[in-house]
Structure formats: structure tokens, C-alpha cells
Amino acid sequence: MEIQYIKTIYIEGLAAKIKRIRKEAKLKVTELSKAAKMTRAYWYAIEGGVITRIPETTLRNIEEALQVDLGVKMLCCDTASSTISDSTHVHQKKKGELDVGD
């Protein structure tokens, strides 16, 4: 049996960063939103700060559409039971000590 563990983190300025990257790259929201599997309205709501909570999968879809790593790392407390192994997931070994990936 698996137990779902959800953790919410706040990243200051993330919406503005997404918008800045898009504008600097001169990319169109129509194309980006399609690549990120969302509507244009949802993309604009994220950029504008109207949407203040998104799932990690949405964040990763945005990164993929923009072809960037936004630097958001998810923290985990239990390295023994985690099966996630990539650079977006950070294991917390001891207080203040981080281990990226597995």
C-alpha cells in the first residue's frame, strides 16, 4: 500500500520569473500553454499571480515548455523509502544537510 504525502513550498517571485523568461525568449503563450498541457488562461493566471498554488507536475510542464530549470527542488524527509531519483527531488539527510537525487 502506498501513502500519498503532499508537501507545499512557497517560492518567492516564481510567477514573475516564468513571465520574464517567456518574454525574454519572445515565446507565445498559445504555444507554451499547449506544450505545458494547460489553457492559455491558466498560464496567464499563473504568470499574473492569480493562481498561487500549482501541482509539481504543472511546474515541470512549464519548465519543459520553456526549456529551462526554474531551480525548484522538492524536499523529502525519508531517504530510505523514497523511489524518486532525479535532480528535482532533494533528500534531507539531517537538519541542514541536503542530498540531491538518490
Side-chain angles (χ1 to χ4, degrees):
M1 173 185 295
E2 293 182 355
I3 306 298
Q4 184 179 22
Y5 174 74
I6 298 172
K7 186 170 192 165
T8 302
I9 59 172
Y10 180 74
I11 308 296
E12 181 72 38
L14 184 60
K17 184 176 184 178
I18 291 168
K19 185 174 186 174
R20 181 182 49 79
I21 291 168
R22 174 182 61 81
K23 287 189 167 241
E24 286 175 0
K26 297 181 176 151
L27 299 169
K28 296 181 180 182
V29 171
T30 302
E31 295 160 1
L32 290 172
S33 60
K34 186 175 181 180
K37 303 172 186 122
M38 67 180 71
T39 65
R40 287 176 51 238
Y42 190 59
W43 183 287
Y44 278 122
I46 291 169
E47 276 190 353
V50 175
I51 302 290
T52 59
R53 178 177 290 164
I54 60 172
E56 183 182 6
T57 54
T58 300
L59 172 69
R60 302 305 169 205
N61 288 344
I62 291 169
E63 287 179 322
E64 190 174 315
L66 290 171
Q67 297 181 1
V68 298
D69 178 353
L70 293 169
V72 177
K73 309 296 182 213
M74 303 306 289
L75 293 177
C76 169
C77 296
D78 183 5
T79 60
S81 64
S82 178
T83 58
I84 298 173
S85 178
D86 64 34
S87 63
T88 65
H89 185 84
V90 179
H91 293 292
Q92 189 168 2
K93 289 180 167 182
K94 294 179 186 170
K95 191 172 183 175
E97 191 177 312
L98 300 177
D99 179 25
V100 178
D102 278 334

